[in-house]
Amino acid sequence: MPNNRAPKCNGFNPNFTLSARTCIRYKIDSVFVDLPAKDWGEPKRLAEAAARVHGRVDDVSKIRNSIIRSLKDLVMQHTQQMSIEKYSSDCRDHLKGYSLGQFKDDYIAIVRQQEELKLRQQNEQLKRIVHLKSDNLAISMVNDSLDSFGNTENGTTRPPDPTRLEPSEKPETEPETEDEMTTEEKEEKDIWSRLRISAEQILAKIKSGEEISVSDRKIMSSGISCILDLVDLNPDGQAAIFGDEFENIKAKNLTRYKMQMTSIMPELTLQIISMVKSGYSG
């Protein structure tokens, strides 16, 4: 009956390893490259090392036979070092007595783990690429939007009024001063300014390489599109920009655009979006 206990290193360093050059020179399976001697007698360790080196194969028994042959070659190459010679021989006998079916199961399980890990790493890399492209696009859109806003503030262009159903045929007049603006126009300008400032702050985070949250990304998206979201009441959402003023802002805009929130079923979310400015001047 075979001994189920793995052999022990006696008389030499258990962390002794073989270099790639040595394995090539003596035609030792590359499974043994940098594999500590203490693992030569552990079938599961050998299966793990073999899976890293050889990956998915059609016949795992060939891998096992190659390892057994390599252990025999190690015996032949270390006839002057009795401790290594005996240990290699004991490891070979122990692996030969280890169930081939169990070795295959160990090998396949480790290959699957490595493939799953590789797939997760590829997915994470893909996510980073997608986020990077998304952030670069967001930076470009924010810059365009902020440039448009800057031109508006300087008086070179004026976004259309979203409440107007038909475009005005009247020639543009000189831009209004703060004194000439109505209270409603001042409030609207203040709202747009806050959205713009929030977009700039998030833009600065992206440019500095800082990770941004889902809420920040949504605030940036709304800010770029010049949208005031009257529904998102998350504590870190767009409503947080306005603090206690938000309820008043929401009520005024709902009245202005003749929107009513009545008898809303709990399982439904009413998506009411109010345009503050059209954003792009072109």
Side-chain angles (χ1 to χ4, degrees):
M1 183 175 180
N3 183 6
N4 291 326
R5 297 183 63 182
K8 299 295 181 182
C9 297
N10 293 315
F12 70 101
N13 186 354
N15 292 316
F16 168 78
T17 60
L18 300 172
S19 67
R21 179 178 295 181
T22 299
C23 288
I24 292 172
R25 180 181 178 183
Y26 296 112
K27 298 181 180 180
I28 304 297
D29 194 299
S30 52
V31 166
F32 289 91
V33 174
D34 295 331
L35 182 68
K38 62 185 178 183
D39 291 340
W40 297 358
E42 298 283 354
K44 286 183 181 293
R45 295 286 190 183
L46 289 169
E48 181 179 352
R52 285 200 306 268
V53 173
H54 298 294
R56 186 173 289 276
V57 295
D58 293 331
D59 190 353
V60 177
S61 64
K62 290 182 178 180
I63 301 296
R64 176 175 174 271
N65 291 338
S66 176
I67 294 173
I68 292 173
R69 178 190 57 75
S70 294
L71 287 168
K72 180 180 178 181
D73 290 341
L74 283 169
V75 173
M76 300 299 296
Q77 297 301 328
H78 291 86
T79 55
Q80 303 302 315
Q81 296 173 276
M82 298 301 295
S83 56
I84 296 180
E85 177 190 1
K86 183 178 186 309
Y87 178 68
S88 300
S89 178
D90 290 344
C91 290
R92 181 193 62 186
D93 292 341
H94 182 66
L95 181 58
K96 288 172 68 175
Y98 190 75
S99 166
L100 174 60
Q102 186 60 54
F103 186 87
K104 286 181 177 180
D105 290 343
D106 295 340
Y107 187 97
I108 292 171
I110 294 165
V111 167
R112 286 174 178 169
Q113 289 176 9
Q114 292 177 340
E115 289 176 345
E116 290 172 0
L117 176 61
K118 184 177 180 180
L119 182 60
R120 287 197 299 270
Q121 291 172 338
Q122 290 174 340
N123 287 338
E124 289 300 320
Q125 184 179 13
L126 180 60
K127 286 180 182 179
R128 286 194 294 270
I129 293 173
V130 171
H131 277 285
L132 178 61
K133 289 184 177 181
S134 174
D135 289 344
N136 288 339
L137 177 61
I139 290 172
S140 176
M141 293 178 70
V142 169
N143 285 335
D144 289 345
S145 182
L146 295 180
D147 287 344
S148 174
F149 181 82
N151 291 337
T152 301
E153 282 197 322
N154 294 332
T156 58
T157 185
R158 180 177 177 79
D161 186 343
T163 62
R164 184 179 300 159
L165 298 179
E166 298 294 337
S168 173
E169 297 180 358
K170 295 174 63 177
E172 287 192 17
T173 59
E174 291 297 319
E176 295 174 310
T177 65
E178 287 285 341
D179 292 337
E180 294 174 327
M181 295 173 67
T182 65
T183 300
E184 186 178 86
E185 287 173 333
K186 290 179 181 179
E187 290 176 348
E188 191 174 88
K189 182 178 179 181
D190 178 65
I191 291 172
W192 166 232
S193 296
R194 295 196 202 184
L195 294 177
R196 171 217 176 187
I197 291 170
S198 296
E200 284 181 322
Q201 291 173 342
I202 298 172
L203 173 64
K205 290 182 181 180
I206 294 175
K207 286 185 174 180
S208 67
E210 184 178 341
E211 291 286 339
I212 63 172
S213 65
V214 174
S215 295
D216 280 347
R217 192 175 294 276
K218 185 175 181 182
I219 290 172
M220 171 174 278
S221 176
S222 298
I224 291 171
S225 304
C226 313
I227 294 175
L228 174 64
D229 190 338
L230 301 181
V231 175
D232 185 4
L233 302 179
N234 290 324
D236 55 350
Q238 195 188 76
I241 298 173
F242 304 97
D244 295 337
E245 302 173 57
F246 184 73
E247 287 300 323
N248 186 41
I249 292 172
K250 180 173 71 172
K252 284 186 177 181
N253 279 276
L254 289 174
T255 300
R256 180 178 178 186
Y257 296 110
K258 296 179 170 47
M259 296 179 182
Q260 295 181 352
M261 298 175 66
T262 56
S263 304
I264 302 177
M265 295 177 64
E267 64 268 25
L268 298 178
T269 301
L270 178 62
Q271 298 291 339
I272 302 176
I273 302 297
S274 169
M275 291 297 296
V276 176
K277 292 290 184 182
S278 65
Y280 292 99
S281 58

